[in-house]
Amino acid sequence: MSIEYMGLSEINGPLIVVEGVKGAFYDEIVEFSVKEELGGANAAEKKKLGRIVEISEDKAVIQVFESTSEMSLLNTRTKLTGRPMEIALSEEILGRTFNGLGEPIDGLGAVRAAEYRDVNGQPMNPCEREYPRNYIRTGISAIDGLTTLIRGQKLPIFSGNGLPHDELAAQIVEQASLGDADDGSDGEFAIVFAAMGVKYDVAEYFKRTFEECGASAHVAMFLNLSNDPVAERLITPKVALTAAEYLAFEKNMHILVILTDMTSYAEAMREVSSLKGEIPSRKGYPGYLYSELAALYERAGIVKGAKGSVTQIPILTMPGDDITHPIPDLTGYITEGQIVLERALHQKNIYPPINVLPSLSRLMKDGIGEKYTREDHQDVANQLFSSYARVGEARDLASVIGEDELSPIDKKYLEFGTAFEQEFVGQGRNENRTIAQTLDIGWRLLHILPKEELDRIDTKILEKYWDAANVGTGEAQAAITEKQEVCHGSEYISD
Amino acid sequence: MGIRGTIYGVNGPIITIRGNLGYRMNEMAYVGEKRLVGEVIGLTKDATTIQVYEETSGLRPGEPVEGAGHAISVTLAPGILYNIFDGIERPLEKIAETGGAFIPRGAQVDALDRERLWQTHITVSVGDRVMSGSIIAEVPETKSIVHKVMLPPGTEGEVIRVQPDGAYTIEQELVAIRTADGREVPLSMTQHWPIRTPRPVASRYPADRPLVTGQRILDTLFPIAKGGTAALPGGFGTGKTMTQHQLAKWCDADIIIYIGCGERGNEMTNVLEEFGELVDPKSGNPLMDRTTLIANTSNMPVAAREASIYTGITLAEYYRDMGYHVAIMADSTSRWAEALRELSGRLEEMPAEEGFPAYLASRLSAFYERAGYVENLNGTEGSVTIIGAVSPQGGDFSEPVTQNTKRFVRCFLALDKSLAYARHYPAINWLTSYSEYVKDLSGWYETHVGSSFIDCRNRILNILTTENRLNEIVKLIGSDVLPDDQKLVLEIARVIRLGFLQQNAFHAEDTFVPMEKQLRMMEVILHLYDRCKELIDRNMPMALLRESDVFEKIIAIKYDVPNKELGMFAEYDAKIEEFYRYLMETNA
């Protein structure tokens, strides 16, 4: 196994060709020893890792995870490791920081491995999946109320450069995991954070936030910053997800995985693909972009019988704020919904600037309602969506004929729209709302509109909550508060 | 023992073998020491190209490749229903038994259970002449479906030996025949069929019967015929999968083949769970009794995604040959097209539009042409209906997959983003969708539902089209300035949109609506329109009409009138008359 091959045949960016290799297999990890320059006989050697991405007979194309600078066709020796890309795993990875390949960079030494795992993972058998039903309370109205996050879901944040997606992700992490005292009954919660090509400041921001909320002992960070090698970036999310699967399905933890920024990941794929001379499809991205993204996103989920779960919140910045760009587009086809941030709302100084209309949670329908949140949840959500969609029409009309000329009902809609954005969507960076609070705000805002306009709410529910929510004091409000407690209690009971 | 070769190169799911060893095109091959399943897709003098249906990481040059000697094919016998397969007919539950929660590579499992005994009733006797497709035995496969064991196409002869009725496995001999050239052929329940070859039929009928779905916008505005083809394009989040689920649950086909092609794992789990619990309204048995799932989720190997569509349609044709009506839900054909693109890229073929291979159109047409209402070889009638979801890139219908699909389907159900954003479901846009079957099916509607059906349908569509035109004006100057008769059109169109087109899949009564109720609903709405029109013609303002709650009452019919109590519609007609009389008396 430990035959070393002297010299290389070709170097092209992160891709290297070695000829004369025997017994190498597809996807195998190889190790390079690079002699430092001008060193003479006892010069230091640098180790680098690479992966075989194409092989024909004795010629292997290897993608090097690190920079290929200093490598020459003569000074490098290549060794086959005989294994695919693996990482060392144990519970100790929590609280640690790694580079994009899963090697510790926090100076605390290597991880004592309980197990080594192939980072490529294997597809989860659909018959062995458990359909996700337990929701995660994030304390953010626009998410809890309208695009509820479910444990085991993959729900990306579609954002743009300069929008507060990092703050939003950090707030979700803080409030979903550790913000609640009565979280004790529920298995352990941990976070796997993978940064792909993000700026140093962003990685630092997350690190600081985790420390400030006291979560850093429960976080495993995998950092590939924007100046780190591109080829390493392609392996980072796989490493992180392998760690997440291990913690979830071996150690029975609830894992929240933050992947940021998927756009850099896809860009890296394009870069390497074009160096390999592959035929490009849309916008120069390789034809297998969908399959590669799916191989990551589909690793969210719950396995039957396991106590743990993997929930993913990938963040991606839409190039040019264009939701039809291949990266958000393909992502949306794989993930179970999306949370879309909008620049116009951000400019109105609304935080979080979530545009609820294109946002969606596909698993929401099965995780809310009487047994999970509150019986009126679905109806209120539908009504808010439908009324807010109508606001858009009224605004379009107002921009043509002027606000004064609008019919009284359209004026009401304008009023509703503003209030909805300010009070329902908008909330403080540290504000943590319960589901009941969220729904009550929803009811209060719906009172701006005449009752006849509420066509998405079941008549019985409307009768029950319309008056109760009305500028509520007294008994009706007490009834709600009581309900609120009941459902609050059940929020964290997992199966 | 097939032809043996050794791997020369590996690039993703494509492997090459040096030289021409005599493999045939589309031959199945076992690749490497783990015997991964593959298919020969390219032959030149110098090299053989094989696509592998499993993850290829770990394969090395020099490993053996063995040809199977036959084209990639599926096993056909009882046990297909109430099952979930991957793209090349490997049962996922069996794989889970041995492999655990994750799918290992090179899983060696039989497509169908070879041990299980099936109660069999033999329907032929010694001396009978049997031909291709003749039914020789019947096996109750599930509570809902009797599996008919047929002679494989291409065999015929005289029955010389018959086993008594009883319990048999799928491989035991049931009947033996002597062919014309004197050979004795033993027959079991099992037959094999190559997935890329359509199964033969005697003749094709015109599509003149609808696939009743219980979904109002489909049954009335854009019907699909049994044996027809429909495309369901829509950007993400517009409800393709929801619509497919609704169709799979409620359409009046005998058998449903649900192909999850490159879609989400959780969705397949959901179908599996939900269909196991839901009861088929016709038979009272679980829906899974008539359903087969083919799951190739988006993270499973891409080559198997390409094959899954063919596997599905071959299973469908097999049940059609027994005389059943089969509906295929393919979710989504875009993933299949993208699999073609990915493989084509790996083969370094010259790309056409958007990187898709130039043969995309011919592959799509070959797939959709396998649908049809036919007379089978054994004289029975059956049909295969294909409903293919399309996931256009960026929600843009001008992209190649949508455009090419549009050429080969006769029913186009365009899902609309803005309707979905307003949570109007099903989000099928009534202006851009069309069905070419309306004319073919009008005869059926007239005899089976009511003579006024087509007329009502056309009037409803007409009001909606007018509404669209008026909305252009409203967008510019507001609705207040419109004359009252146009305001009425807007109001009635609102009633149609909310009360008729919107359908609540989660509501017990509204999730499935029988044809008779659909017709009565249309009639009531049009009755209201006619009466209001008369009032408006007498110069009554629309504002006065709106004071009545009759519009809201009619919108609520979908919830208020149970499917079984259509007698209640008389009350609504009476209510409209009363409303009319009251206004006439007080304002005339």
Side-chain angles (χ1 to χ4, degrees), chain A residues 328-447:
Chain A
D329 188 43
L330 294 181
T331 298
Y333 279 121
I334 308 164
T335 53
E336 283 139 350
Q338 64 275 339
I339 295 170
V340 184
L341 303 191
E342 198 189 77
R343 205 165 291 279
L345 287 173
H346 183 57
Q347 282 157 352
K348 285 189 206 166
N349 206 14
I350 290 166
Y351 172 86
I354 297 175
N355 182 359
V356 300
L357 292 182
S359 301
L360 171 77
S361 165
R362 289 167 192 274
L363 300 183
M364 174 176 174
K365 61 184 180 354
D366 296 306
I368 61 168
E370 209 170 349
K371 271 188 281 176
Y372 304 97
T373 56
R374 205 165 86 177
E375 55 175 344
D376 57 329
H377 193 153
Q378 185 73 58
D379 286 23
V380 173
N382 287 347
Q383 188 61 55
L384 288 171
F385 274 126
S386 148
S387 301
Y388 188 62
R390 177 80 196 272
V391 170
E393 288 168 25
R395 281 182 182 162
D396 287 348
L397 188 56
S399 67
V400 179
I401 61 172
E403 218 168 289
D404 289 349
E405 299 296 314
L406 288 182
S407 64
I409 185 75
D410 280 339
K411 282 183 188 157
K412 283 283 179 205
Y413 271 107
L414 285 191
E415 189 191 338
F416 168 79
T418 314
F420 177 79
E421 286 166 5
Q422 297 287 352
E423 295 170 40
F424 190 89
V425 176
Q427 68 184 80
R429 168 67 179 78
N430 295 313
E431 193 180 346
N432 191 352
R433 293 181 187 159
T434 64
I435 291 277
Q437 277 169 342
T438 294
L439 293 179
D440 291 345
I441 295 172
W443 278 110
R444 186 161 54 75
L445 295 174
L446 288 175
H447 272 82

Side-chain angles (χ1 to χ4, degrees), chain A residues 85 87 89-91 93-94 115-125 129 154 190-193 220 222 236-257 259 294-303 306-312, chain B residues 101-103 299:
Chain A
M85 181 74 193
I87 60 162
L89 291 168
S90 77
E91 263 177 286
I93 60 171
L94 289 176
E115 197 176 322
Y116 284 91
R117 279 203 185 185
D118 181 351
V119 300
N120 290 307
Q122 284 167 332
M124 206 187 277
N125 192 327
R129 272 181 190 270
K154 37 196 177 292
I191 296 149
V192 171
F193 178 84
F222 296 87
T236 308
K238 297 185 179 174
V239 169
L241 287 165
T242 308
E245 281 174 355
Y246 170 79
L247 294 171
F249 306 130
E250 284 297 316
K251 300 293 165 196
N252 295 323
M253 292 181 183
H254 292 298
I255 306 294
L256 189 64
V257 184
L259 301 168
L296 301 180
Y297 296 139
E298 276 291 325
R299 289 173 81 171
I302 309 178
V303 171
K307 286 213 180 67
S309 62
V310 176
T311 311
Q312 281 186 19
Chain B
F102 296 89
I103 300 173
N299 55 342

Side-chain angles (χ1 to χ4, degrees), chain B residues 4 29 31 33 62 65 74 106 139 160 185 247-248 267-268 340 359 390 463 480 552 580:
Chain B
R4 295 187 71 103
V31 178
E33 260 128 36
V65 178
V74 285
V139 178
I160 52 166
V185 182
L247 291 174
E267 266 167 16
M268 295 317 290
L340 280 183
Y359 47 76
V390 182
I463 293 173
D480 284 355
E552 306 306 318
Y580 173 72

